[in-house]
Amino acid sequence: MTPSVRLQEMIRVIRSARTQGEERGIIQRECADIRAQFRQGDNGERSHSLAKLLYVHMLGYPAHFGQMECVRLIASPRYSEKRIGYLGAMMLLDEKQDASLLITNSIKNDLSHSSQYVQSLALCTLACMGSAEMCRDLAPEIERLLRASNSYIKKKATLCAVHIIKKVPELAELFTPSARTLLSEKNHGVLHGAVVLITELCKRNPDTLDQFRKAVPELVQIMKGLVTSSYSPEHNVAGISDPFLQVRILRLLRILGHNNDTASDAMNDLLAQVATNTDSSKTAGSAVLYETVLTIMDINSESGLRVLAVNILGRFLLNNDRNIRYISMTSLQKIVQTDHNAVQRHRGTIVDCLKDQDTSVKRRALELSLALVSAVNIRSMMKELLIFLSFCPPELRSQTASGIFNAAERYSPSKRWHIDTILHVLTTAGGDVRDETVPNLIQLITTASELHCYTVHKLYRALVKDIAQQSLVQVACWCIGEYGDLLLKGECEEIEPMQVTEDDVLDALETVLQSHMSSPATRGFALTATMKLSTRITDNVDRIRSIVSIYGSCIDLELQQRAVEYNALFKKYDHMRAAVLERMPVMDKNLPGHTNGDTPGEIKEPDTSKPKPVEAGLLSEPASQVCDLLDLLGGTDTPLQPSPAPTSTPTTTSSADLLDLLGGLEPTPELTIPPAPFDLFVLKDKHCCVYVHVVPTVSVYEKNGLSLKIQCDKQTETEVTVSLIASNSTQNDITNFTLQAAVPKSVQLQMKAPSGNVIPAHGLGQVTQTVLLNNPNKASLPCFRFMRIRVSYSNQGAMHQDTVLIDSFPSTACQPSISPL
Amino acid sequence: MMHFLLLFSRQGKLRLQKWFLPLPERERKKIVKDMTTMVLSRKPRTCNFLHWKDLKIVYKRYASLYFCCALENKDNELLALEILHRYVELLDKYFGNVCELDIIFNFEKAYFILDEFLMGGEIQETSKQSIAKSVEASDMLQETMEEYMSKPAF
């Protein structure tokens, strides 16, 4: 190889520059030279100058003046000039430049050049930067090359066709016939390209997908050939014959077998064979196994195969190679909802991965661990998660904290455990928890009335130790204010006795008030707590009065207002003080969310005798946030008919629970929040329209006091979700209420767990059950309209059974209607 | 499909960039900066996969060069490691014990080899020998031209 002397000389000079300024100077000189060269026209030096320009471009300097030169060089008859010209085109031109159109003609000519290497240059450039117009112009040429050329050109033409289809999807039909025949090629390069092309065609068009399903046996044959073939030096990588092609074929099989029983059946044997015979000691084998597992999980495979796949992932988890551990956790994450029990078996290993050095691995392990928490393993899992929280990297802390809260909310074995867990999180990572934690915890504490003494003692001790964590301090202040009398009593069954005097308590609160670490909200909490204590302690009321009056002249407006009001309470309204500051009633979790955007953590008025509206629990957080946002915009999205199904965790399949844990759940009918009361400032705006979603319910059955209504929640082309709502207007409760449903064969039915099986009398309550109807073959919709329901229940000791035929669903789901205010 | 392939040194100097998607110049520069920062800040014994926007980034260090590529969600990361390795093997075969300097001074040849291996973000040939043969033949074609013109190519 003759060295490219002058280019290399320039590179050497540039690299020897000692400063950035020196380098810039050299580059400027060289660019001036290059420009002069370009102006001189054809003298055999042009390709040389362009190469130098490309180097300069890679260093980050502007090189647009070389674009036209690329066009000229591409048109040159000399191969060396074409080669560098095309390279320049790929680096400097892209479809957004006008100059790129100018090379279309050259490419067209070169595609029919006698030398295959020139053809290959043209194909490569087209596949790299071809714009939609260029693709449209040249598509027939490419199609011709696909059919009639040698394998060297065929493989390039195939990938070029893939690019064309991506740019101009309408041209897909042009390439479909040739794609099928390419599968019978022997050359691996062409075969690989063909598989990529077919994958792309199937992605674009479901009819083509159906068509190519017929190719499954052929693909299975090819795969079998690769897996069982003897050593072939040309394609062998670490004992695997052409892993690149194998992975690609597996990916295509995945697409073809998805949601199709016949295709899936045809590949079962092959997948089992690949899964058992592939040697995974090196990356190549692991790559093939990984793809196999993904394919098995995505098609309708038999359960034995699925178990095999999960076991492979379990084996990966124990692998020394970090990459493979990471991969297996990513895959387990995808299947944890569908194959929950199988993944549970590997829980120990997953929890161990929490201690890995690598943050990416830690993150995956955290997500998986949170998904695997269940009522059975909550205590041990929580222990691990809390340990993890103390040592985890800062970017994962808030995710861990919210995950722990969700899990505790869902599965806590006892209230005391729940409170302990939350306190633990607040002490370790109080700074990273969400704002709603404080009111949620407060609400939880009020409901656990037997634990008030224990809680307030624990919080007091935590407060005394450290006042840096704002959420913890806020909760502690609130509790001390509320239950200060219990604190001062000194004895508590579940905790070591500690003598706390009134001065101690007031000292603690004053420290919080005066500390520069306390946020204004925290100081508000502390001030109110101090005030509340005035009715709960006997000796130091004067001290409280003086504290409160000091803050009457505080700079912070919030504190000043409160202090002034409290002062007034002391002076003018002393007779009311006891009543105003008495113990608050237990807050009900199911209250409608507050709508005017207040963070419920701030206690606005000292009007503590009214129950504080608290945003309904953690579960409905995403929903209530949605409500708040929509309210600010002046609309609401909740169905007008509130199905008063309990807002506590529905006893649906564990899959729904896990979706909640991962925080991705949108309000389902079972978790409906009753429509938030419209706020005044929304009503005042006369020009504001309210979008009201009307969801019609149709009554389908009325007999003996039991009525059944059907409500269509969601309707897509292949799926309908309906809710069946049962209510009871008799004098007695209806028990053992169950619904069974039957649908035509082409429809798949999935019934979620009902909200309960007792319907209270006098219409006091309802039972809701959601039913999912899926018609994957997209047969005509009237198919959906037939459903037979059998109702069975007990009333006053007698068993009743009845059948209902539903032949029409309320077809309009969620029809928006605009009503101006 | 691979979105881009970058080679850069430990100091963050770009040695090769191949883009399989049309992106404006400014965005390319930004991506290069992001990648170099992200990859260079990784500790030695961590896994080779990262998440960036909606892409999977796979990187591998070979001596003083980092090979970094971006994949779509459906792509197989372990296979991407094999792809990077295959490219390094091709360079090694061509240059004979390749080192960073070879790639610096002969960058256009590195591109030519890459263009025989990948196209449009996908693999075009899975056989090492086949690629080596085509690159050799193209070089021969170029040299014949040079002999004819009795001048060096570049």
Side-chain angles (χ1 to χ4, degrees), chain A residues 569-600:
Chain A
L569 208 55
F570 267 124
K571 297 207 175 79
K572 282 203 283 180
Y573 300 97
D574 205 35
H575 53 279
M576 280 173 51
R577 187 160 52 90
V580 169
L581 297 175
E582 74 179 8
R583 196 65 70 84
M584 282 176 59
V586 173
M587 281 177 260
D588 195 7
K589 206 171 189 181
N590 298 341
L591 282 184
H594 210 206
T595 58
N596 58 9
D598 279 351
T599 46

Side-chain angles (χ1 to χ4, degrees), chain A residues 333 354 362-372 399 662:
Chain A
Q333 185 77 32
L354 281 172
K362 274 212 242 275
R363 184 189 304 265
R364 291 272 165 255
L366 173 66
E367 284 167 8
L368 256 182
S369 306
L370 288 173
L372 286 176
Q399 193 182 352
L662 298 174

Side-chain angles (χ1 to χ4, degrees), chain B residues 90-108:
Chain B
L90 291 168
L91 291 171
D92 197 49
K93 187 84 190 296
Y94 184 80
F95 288 108
N97 244 341
V98 67
C99 63
E100 189 182 346
L101 282 178
D102 288 322
I103 301 184
I104 295 173
F105 282 96
N106 299 289
F107 71 95
E108 81 278 7

Side-chain angles (χ1 to χ4, degrees), chain A residues 372-389:
Chain A
L372 286 176
V373 174
S374 74
V376 178
N377 56 34
I378 179 73
R379 281 189 196 264
S380 48
M381 286 297 279
M382 195 51 78
K383 229 186 288 176
E384 294 288 342
L385 286 170
L386 287 172
I387 296 173
F388 177 67
L389 186 62

Side-chain angles (χ1 to χ4, degrees), chain A residues 85-126:
Chain A
Y86 274 117
L87 180 63
M90 286 193 272
M91 285 177 75
L92 300 178
L93 294 175
D94 59 40
E95 55 183 42
K96 302 200 180 63
Q97 317 282 354
D98 297 323
S100 61
L101 282 174
L102 298 172
I103 62 176
T104 315
N105 211 22
S106 302
I107 294 184
K108 195 173 197 164
N109 292 335
D110 284 337
L111 280 176
S112 3
H113 201 276
S114 49
S115 162
Q116 65 177 9
Y117 299 107
V118 174
Q119 285 179 303
S120 112
L121 287 177
L123 285 167
C124 192
T125 310
L126 184 61

Side-chain angles (χ1 to χ4, degrees), chain A residues 731-750:
Chain A
Q731 307 280 6
N732 309 87
D733 293 345
I734 286 183
T735 54
N736 294 331
F737 177 78
T738 48
L739 288 171
Q740 289 165 303
V743 289
K745 278 210 193 100
S746 53
V747 180
Q748 288 171 5
L749 173 73
Q750 190 184 350

Side-chain angles (χ1 to χ4, degrees), chain A residues 410-421:
Chain A
R410 217 169 270 282
Y411 301 114
S412 63
S414 74
K415 283 233 161 85
R416 179 174 153 181
W417 182 93
H418 194 172
I419 291 177
D420 277 341
T421 311

